[in-house]
Amino acid sequence: MKNKATVLYFVVPIVLVLIFIPIFWRFNSTYEAKEAQRAEVIHQKKVAEIAEQDRQRQKAIDDSLVTQARRQKEKKERDDRLQKERDEREAAVQARNKSANDSQGLKNRIDRLTRDVEAVKADIAKLDADEVKQRQEADGSKQYVVLAEANVKNLSQVLDRIQAADAAAEAAAKAAAAAKKS
C-alpha cells in the first residue's frame, strides 16, 4: 500500500499535469491574443471617451462662444437702448428747461407789456381828461368871447347912448348958454 500510495502521489499529479499542459497551452496561446484584444478594446474605449470628451469640450466651447456673443450683443443692445433712453431723457429735460425758460421769458414780456399797456391807458386817460378840460376851456372861452362880444356890443351901445347923451347934454348946454346969451 505504500507503493500504491506513492504511485498515487506521483502518478495522479503527473496525469493531472499532462492533462493541464494542453489546457494551459491552449489557454496561454489565446491568452495573449485575448489580452491584446481586451487591451485594444479598452484602448478603443479610452480613445472613444477622449474623443467624446473632446467633442463635448469643443461643443461646450462653441456653446460658450455663442452664448458669449449673444450676451455681448444683448449687452450692446441694452447699452444702446439705455444710452438712447438717457439721450431722450436729457433731450426731454432740455426741452422742458427751454420751455420753462421760454415760458418765463414770455411771462416777463407779458407782465412788461401789461405794465406798458396800463401806463399807456393811464396816459390816454390823462390825455382824454386834458382834452375834455381843454374842450371845456375852449367852450368856456367861446362862451366868454360871445359874452364879451355881447358885452362890447352892450358897452358900445351904452357908450353910444352916453355920447349921445353927452352930445345932447352939450347941445342942451350950448342951447342953454345960447339961450342965456340971447
Side-chain angles (χ1 to χ4, degrees):
M1 263 229 248
K2 196 176 179 185
N3 225 355
K4 258 186 178 191
T6 319
V7 170
L8 275 180
Y9 282 120
F10 284 109
V11 172
V12 170
I14 290 178
V15 171
L16 288 177
V17 167
L18 288 177
I19 293 173
F20 178 73
I21 287 177
I23 294 172
F24 178 73
W25 189 268
R26 199 168 120 219
F27 172 77
N28 194 25
S29 65
T30 60
Y31 177 74
E32 287 179 10
K34 284 182 181 178
E35 280 300 310
Q37 185 181 11
R38 194 175 306 142
E40 184 64 26
V41 168
I42 290 172
H43 177 70
Q44 290 299 327
K45 283 183 182 179
K46 284 184 181 180
V47 168
E49 286 176 4
I50 290 172
E52 178 64 22
Q53 288 175 355
D54 285 346
R55 189 185 62 75
Q56 288 177 353
R57 190 175 301 119
Q58 187 62 39
K59 182 182 177 200
I61 289 170
D62 292 343
D63 289 347
S64 70
L65 290 175
V66 167
T67 303
Q68 182 181 15
R70 182 177 45 85
R71 285 183 183 159
Q72 286 176 346
K73 181 181 175 187
E74 288 173 354
K75 184 178 186 294
K76 184 179 183 313
E77 288 173 354
R78 183 176 58 245
D79 290 345
D80 290 346
R81 182 176 41 86
L82 290 175
Q83 184 63 38
K84 182 180 177 186
E85 288 175 0
R86 277 189 225 112
D87 292 344
E88 288 173 353
R89 197 174 311 121
E90 181 65 28
V93 166
Q94 288 176 355
R96 184 188 67 205
N97 291 343
K98 184 180 182 300
S99 174
N101 289 340
D102 291 348
S103 173
Q104 186 63 36
L106 290 175
K107 183 179 178 190
N108 291 341
R109 187 172 177 195
I110 288 171
D111 290 343
R112 184 172 32 87
L113 291 175
T114 303
R115 285 191 303 270
D116 290 349
V117 166
E118 289 173 2
V120 168
K121 282 182 180 179
D123 290 345
I124 289 172
K126 285 180 186 177
L127 291 174
D128 286 344
D130 286 345
E131 182 182 1
V132 167
K133 186 178 178 184
Q134 287 176 356
R135 281 188 185 165
Q136 287 174 351
E137 287 176 2
D139 289 345
S141 295
K142 285 180 185 177
Q143 288 174 357
Y144 178 76
V145 167
V146 169
L147 288 176
E149 286 176 354
N151 243 356
V152 166
K153 202 176 199 185
N154 285 338
L155 286 177
S156 291
Q157 289 172 355
V158 168
L159 280 178
D160 287 341
R161 280 189 222 146
I162 290 176
Q163 282 177 354
D166 279 344
E170 201 177 299
K174 276 186 190 181
K180 245 190 195 188
K181 270 190 191 186
S182 39

